[in-house]
Amino acid sequence: MKVCLISAPTANQFDHQAVGETDAARIMGELAPVGILSLAAVLEARGLQPEVVDLNRVYYDWRQKSNQNETDFCSFAGAYFAGRDFDFFGFSTVCSSYPLTLRIAAEVKRVHRTSVVVLGGPQASVVDVSTMRAFPSIDLVVRGEAEESLPALVDALAAGSSLAAIPGITFRRHEDGEIVRSPDAPLVLDLDALPFPAFHLFPDVRFCRHFPLELGRGCPFACTFCSTNDFFRRRFRLKTPAQMIADMRRVKQTYGINSFELVHDMFTVDRKRVVEFCEALLESKEEFTWGSSARTDCIDEELIALMARAGCRGIFFGIETGSSRMQKIIDKGLDLNDSAERVRSCDKFKINTAVSLMAGFPDETMNDLRDTAAFFVDSLRYDHADPQLSILAPLADTPIQKQHKDSLVLDDDVADMSYRGWRQEPQDHAMIADHPEIFSSFYSVPTPYLEHEFLKELRDFLLTGMRAFRRLLLGLHQDSGDVVDVFQQWQQWRAKHGVHFSNSDRTAYYAQSGFPADFIEFVRLHYIPAVSKAPLAISALAEYEAALLGRDHESDQEQVSDDIEDLISPDSRPQLLPGVNVIKVPADYQEIVRRLRQRSPLHDIPVRQVKLAIRRTAAGPAEVRQLSPLSAELLGLCEGSLTVEEIAAEFRQKLR
Ligand code: B12
Ligand code: SF4
């Protein structure tokens, strides 16, 4: 049996920017399809030689090589597969690219009529019957974890024997064409027993910065919007520390990579086992760094400290909503004060946190939304916190989707999901519109108390605001007590000042540099004079952010020499490093930042002109130093015309 396993497309970065080969390989490497590679290893262990095709790579090649006006990606992928003969084409699926995957699968079936076209993975597993009814080119769906069912299926297909006895599959009965589901496949209870994933079939993985390795499966909680808990049947499993460390060492030896993304939906369910893992890592003396996921109620400061010592550098916290009322409604049940505390503790131990939030729940009111926006902005107090805000996409077969399946709304910029998912062609739009039961994640649930366009603009505003003027956004929230209120004032101001855009142009407007510049204008001309309780502090923050925006330092930075010694000799003429900017602000910036971190009042900041040296770094937050009066004087002399000796003489004069 010649088997081809194909990843689900997930690298939507290629749509938004030009990506060079090196970056593309890194992106594709970090998106290595762990599920498919686990299956490929199981097949190899049984003597087969499966091939793995990365659709992200095929997509990248299409963008690089083809005239995209003449060939759409689906035809390009069809031509790619036309030249490859396999008996079995197995596509992995995820909701965001499901329409595209189905179109490519149909193209493959059209060319390879006698081959079996199979779907697996989280999306097809839950919409198996409806998919097979609507798309005759799909021969089979393998549901759920497939390490046991796939080899059994491949054997049965090779032998031409009946499929009915194979667990976890949905197939068309030969006799009458009826779609039949066999009973669920067993879970893999001992994950240590699985072979090491077949990363050798996925060459881009060697470009990873953070190598993906599976740490375990299954989350016992029951949040109403979540699909992954049911997929792994709520059965929490972890690989043993010994197995994980052996896998990590193998990656280090093979690829020279020491940093890992440890895949699990909810690693910290069992505190004792997290401690065991961390202690084993410490004992191993390896200098591995890693990230994983946790709930804020299944972790504490002591555990965070231990995880940090054991190399943890990133935690994904699904906090979902900043409203205590909504926490109960969605069955998440987090105590939000504790959640904020955990984000603070992670910052203390220099662990980066993804603070994942959602808006657009059916029962959500304006007050709930204000609380979520407040949680988002409050986490900006911590340099290691990275808040995220998305609009609820009802994933198929989740309690929320089932409850609202008859009232899902398809709005005009089809699918908010495209924002973080895959680019859609007109054919995808038609499929989505025809089959809400299959593509529910492209719809929204009705939100009677909130306008969807308002939600989307608020999301774009917060996400860009966080990147473009993080401190100012926090300052405005603290000053006003409600960032949503500031946002509403901004909306009115921009409309009055001619900044209009259609719904479909909204995201593009917020992504461009015009937005931060317009917004700072709004702060200077409207917010500070008309509303602010702490105009001095807000002015200082606005000046700081404006200066950062004012210059594009990225190209300059490449010229910065690391060899500082070379720059300083008695007859050299020192000047500011390229990309460094010295600006004046009307209040003590350091004190403002301190107060923001501690939530202390901003209104009584004294007037005090200070100078800041700032530099926007290519990645991460800008570097900023508040200059003492003497260093400001000294720096003022370093303009490239005076030698070190001349500067020293002038400086001595000034000191007298
Ligand atoms: C890592 C991850 C990502 C990574 C990328 C993953 C990649 N390789 O490209 C990132 C962070 C980019 C990401 C993004 C998104 N993700 Co994600 N992600 C995951 C996560 C946490 C782990 C995936 C994984 O490796 N699992 C471990 C392996 C072993 O499991 P598996 O992939 O399911 O594979 C098994 C089976 O499914 C099956 N199988 C899989 N493929 C195939 C194919 C065949 C032929 C067969 C027979 C069987 C089979 O066998 C495998 C072994 O048992 C999962 C949750 C989870 N725990 O799985 C969510 C998950 C897949 N993501 C999800 C979603 C919704 C998204 C986003 C759309 C939205 C978002 N939340 O931001 C984006 C979309 C990305 C895009 N641009 O299109 C959902 C998908 C739900 C659905 N119904 O499709 C999941 C399940 C989480 C959830 N919220 O419920 N994700
Ligand atoms: S805790 Fe996370 S993985 Fe578990 S059910 Fe809730 S959202 Fe899903």
Side-chain angles (χ1 to χ4, degrees):
M1 218 22 183
K2 285 179 69 187
V3 177
C4 178
L5 297 175
I6 303 145
S7 72
T10 46
N12 57 336
Q13 293 88 330
F14 304 151
D15 272 342
H16 309 310
Q17 70 212 56
V19 182
E21 171 60 38
T22 315
D23 285 337
R26 178 184 55 71
I27 291 168
M28 291 182 277
E30 283 171 9
L31 294 175
V34 174
I36 291 244
L37 297 173
S38 175
L39 297 177
V42 168
L43 295 181
E44 280 186 337
R46 295 168 67 100
L48 280 109
Q49 292 179 322
E51 274 191 34
V52 169
V53 171
D54 180 16
L55 271 186
N56 288 331
R57 164 61 69 186
V58 180
Y59 186 73
Y60 182 71
D61 288 349
W62 171 68
R63 290 197 73 90
Q64 298 298 106
K65 289 181 192 154
S66 78
N67 178 348
Q68 290 156 37
N69 292 328
E70 281 170 17
T71 325
D72 73 342
F73 174 57
C74 189
S75 317
F76 184 85
Y80 173 91
F81 285 111
R84 289 167 167 78
D85 271 336
F86 291 97
D87 306 303
F88 183 109
F89 289 91
F91 288 85
S92 193
T93 62
V94 65
C95 54
S96 50
S97 53
Y98 199 45
L100 174 64
T101 302
L102 285 167
R103 285 199 289 127
I104 297 174
E107 197 53 29
V108 167
K109 185 71 184 176
R110 194 180 62 77
V111 178
H112 301 279
R113 299 210 69 80
T114 55
S115 307
V116 190
V117 172
V118 178
L119 304 180
Q123 179 65 11
S125 292
V126 289
V127 293
D128 50 334
V129 174
S130 45
T131 299
M132 289 188 59
R133 280 208 185 111
F135 300 96
S137 46
I138 306 304
D139 296 312
L140 275 153
V141 174
V142 179
R143 307 187 312 270
E145 293 173 47
E147 280 87 353
E148 296 217 14
S149 45
L150 179 64
L153 172 65
V154 170
D155 286 351
L157 289 169
S161 52
S162 158
L163 301 181
I166 297 162
I169 64 164
T170 307
F171 62 103
R172 232 173 247 105
R173 199 160 44 202
H174 190 60
E175 299 79 41
D176 54 4
E178 188 65 27
I179 293 163
V180 181
R181 296 180 111 215
S182 68
D184 287 347
L187 297 176
V188 180
L189 293 178
D190 178 9
L191 293 174
D192 282 6
L194 292 178
F196 186 71
F199 287 110
H200 60 279
L201 299 180
F202 197 87
D204 283 328
V205 82
R206 67 186 188 280
F207 299 107
C208 276
R209 280 175 313 187
H210 312 293
F211 198 101
L213 275 183
E214 205 186 358
L215 176 58
R217 295 180 187 176
C219 170
F221 291 91
C223 309
T224 59
F225 56 87
C226 180
S227 68
T228 183
N229 49 2
D230 266 0
F231 185 84
F232 294 112
R233 289 189 256 151
R234 305 229 175 113
R235 182 70 189 257
F236 176 75
R237 287 154 282 161
L238 267 187
K239 289 193 175 179
T240 59
Q243 183 64 49
M244 279 316 295
I245 292 171
D247 288 354
M248 291 160 100
R249 283 191 165 131
R250 183 165 174 167
V251 169
K252 178 179 140 187
Q253 274 150 21
T254 316
Y255 303 101
I257 297 172
N258 277 317
S259 177
F260 298 88
E261 184 53 43
L262 300 182
V263 175
H264 198 304
D265 284 321
M266 223 317 252
F267 169 39
T268 59
V269 166
D270 184 343
R271 191 181 193 284
K272 202 170 127 252
R273 295 178 73 180
V274 181
V275 170
E276 277 167 17
F277 176 63
C278 291
E279 286 176 346
L281 273 171
L282 287 167
E283 261 169 46
S284 76
K285 305 274 183 256
E286 297 285 2
E287 300 210 333
F288 294 140
T289 56
W290 49 278
S292 198
S293 61
R295 278 175 60 114
T296 53
D297 56 354
C298 296
I299 199 165
D300 51 63
E301 182 157 315
E302 199 191 338
L303 188 60
I304 290 170
L306 175 65
M307 289 166 73
R309 273 195 292 128
C312 179
R313 297 289 176 268
I315 299 183
F316 179 93
F317 283 130
I319 291 173
E320 330 301 358
T321 166
S323 147
S324 302
R325 192 183 82 92
M326 288 306 303
Q327 281 288 338
K328 294 190 193 92
I329 293 177
I330 63 172
D331 286 341
K332 186 97 195 185
L334 296 178
D335 174 323
L336 289 161
N337 290 329
D338 280 357
S339 301
E341 239 339 89
R342 299 303 161 262
V343 175
R344 189 195 60 75
S345 299
C346 286
D347 186 65
K348 180 168 156 193
F349 294 103
K350 298 194 169 36
I351 294 180
N352 295 317
T353 47
V355 176
S356 176
L357 295 159
M358 277 192 265
F361 291 106
D363 311 273
E364 195 171 355
T365 63
M366 195 61 177
N367 281 343
D368 297 319
L369 180 67
R370 286 182 202 282
D371 288 346
T372 296
F375 201 99
F376 180 103
V377 182
D378 275 330
S379 57
L380 297 177
R381 291 176 208 283
Y382 308 112
D383 289 345
H384 292 86
D386 176 20
Q388 305 169 354
L389 179 65
S390 48
I391 314 280
L392 174 77
L395 297 178
D397 209 33
T398 57
I400 275 197
Q401 185 266 341
K402 285 194 258 193
Q403 195 187 342
H404 297 276
K405 69 177 176 2
D406 297 326
S407 53
L408 297 179
V409 182
L410 184 61
D411 51 31
D412 50 356
D413 55 332
V414 176
D416 176 60
M417 187 63 94
S418 60
Y419 176 77
R420 53 217 148 115
W422 201 250
R423 193 176 81 169
Q424 279 134 35
E425 304 290 337
Q427 300 96 309
D428 300 318
H429 290 218
M431 282 159 73
I432 292 167
D434 287 349
H435 298 289
E437 75 291 5
I438 300 179
F439 305 108
S440 63
S441 60
F442 294 96
Y443 288 70
S444 46
V445 287
T447 49
Y449 311 110
L450 294 170
E451 289 242 346
H452 247 257
E453 289 314 319
F454 181 83
L455 283 178
K456 289 178 188 172
E457 187 174 345
L458 177 66
R459 173 202 60 197
D460 289 346
F461 169 82
L462 289 174
L463 291 178
T464 309
M466 167 185 82
R467 281 191 295 273
F469 44 85
R470 185 176 174 111
R471 294 251 157 88
L472 176 62
L473 189 63
L474 176 57
L476 291 169
H477 174 56
Q478 178 153 326
D479 182 39
S480 65
D482 180 5
V483 71
V484 175
D485 193 43
V486 177
F487 167 69
Q488 286 171 311
Q489 289 178 45
W490 147 251
Q491 275 193 315
Q492 285 167 13
W493 186 88
R494 71 155 177 76
K496 225 162 85 186
H497 289 77
V499 183
H500 299 285
F501 38 78
S502 65
N503 289 338
S504 53
D505 293 340
R506 182 200 58 244
T507 297
Y509 168 73
Y510 277 97
Q512 285 156 12
S513 60
F515 159 60
D518 290 347
F519 183 74
I520 290 177
E521 196 73 349
F522 151 79
V523 172
R524 280 175 176 151
L525 298 181
H526 170 77
Y527 183 85
I528 293 175
V531 188
S532 180
K533 297 182 208 97
L536 200 60
I538 300 300
S539 300
L541 290 170
E543 293 319 309
Y544 163 74
E545 304 285 12
L548 276 184
L549 284 180
R551 288 178 56 179
D552 178 4
H553 303 303
E554 280 181 26
S555 55
D556 294 345
Q557 278 169 40
E558 283 157 23
Q559 302 159 21
V560 177
S561 163
D562 287 337
D563 197 353
I564 303 291
E565 301 248 315
D566 263 8
L567 294 173
I568 304 169
S569 69
D571 55 353
S572 65
R573 296 174 196 277
Q575 54 184 322
L576 294 183
L577 284 172
V580 176
N581 206 2
V582 176
I583 61 160
K584 230 189 261 172
V585 295
D588 187 331
Y589 178 80
Q590 264 172 2
E591 175 62 13
I592 297 171
V593 171
R594 193 188 65 77
R595 291 186 185 201
L596 284 175
R597 287 218 172 98
Q598 297 180 351
R599 296 174 194 251
S600 319
L602 296 173
H603 66 272
D604 55 351
I605 286 271
V607 181
R608 188 185 150 209
Q609 293 247 332
V610 297
K611 282 192 175 173
L612 305 177
I614 54 176
R615 185 161 76 101
R616 173 80 89 185
T617 52
E623 285 173 21
V624 48
R625 300 266 182 285
Q626 183 160 317
L627 303 172
S628 67
L630 278 184
S631 44
E633 287 284 356
L634 184 60
L635 225 61
L637 296 170
C638 301
E639 287 180 306
S641 59
L642 303 176
T643 64
V644 169
E645 272 175 313
E646 287 163 345
I647 289 172
E650 278 231 18
F651 195 54
R652 242 177 271 126
Q653 286 283 341
K654 284 188 189 274
L655 288 179
R656 283 203 189 116

